[in-house]
Amino acid sequence: CTAPHPYRCDEHLPASGSATTPTPVRREGGSSSSLLDLKFPPPPAADPPLLGPAKVLYTFEAQAEGTQISVKEGETLTVVQSGPEWSWVCNAHGVEGYIPTSYIA
């Protein structure tokens, strides 16, 4: 494939570099498997976390004073640290805190 991603398509080729096909799995009773039963490599890793400038997609009101910050839709923030659920951000006034990661892009 030509799309850029961290998964290397050639990692699963034999050392000789020749193409290979997945090995069919034998079902109980000795019959051969279908394509649905073939074993393939795992999917590519998730996208890297968002860092740097980001736009707020939805308004968020802080629920935990001192750790979260309120932001408004359309506001531009700087993402300092990003996780699967929460991101540590800094707004234009230098105020820092957590907001839901899904609220920024």
Side-chain angles (χ1 to χ4, degrees):
C1 66
T2 60
H5 54 72
Y7 187 77
R8 292 191 38 212
C9 297
D10 62 346
E11 288 178 345
H12 299 283
L13 292 176
S16 67
S18 64
T20 183
T21 56
T23 306
V25 177
R26 288 277 179 196
R27 293 184 181 177
E28 287 185 38
S31 66
S32 291
S33 64
S34 71
L35 287 176
L36 297 176
D37 297 324
L38 298 177
K39 296 185 181 196
F40 292 93
D47 291 332
L50 175 68
L51 297 176
K55 201 66 120 172
V56 177
L57 302 174
Y58 314 102
T59 298
F60 174 73
E61 294 294 326
Q63 304 294 311
E65 193 68 32
T67 58
Q68 297 176 355
I69 63 169
S70 297
V71 294
K72 295 187 188 228
E73 180 181 347
E75 187 176 347
T76 300
L77 306 170
T78 300
V79 179
V80 178
Q81 186 177 24
S82 182
E85 295 183 26
W86 294 91
S87 290
W88 185 261
V89 298
C90 179
N91 68 15
H93 306 288
V95 178
E96 296 184 0
Y98 284 106
I99 64 167
T101 300
S102 60
Y103 280 47
I104 53 176

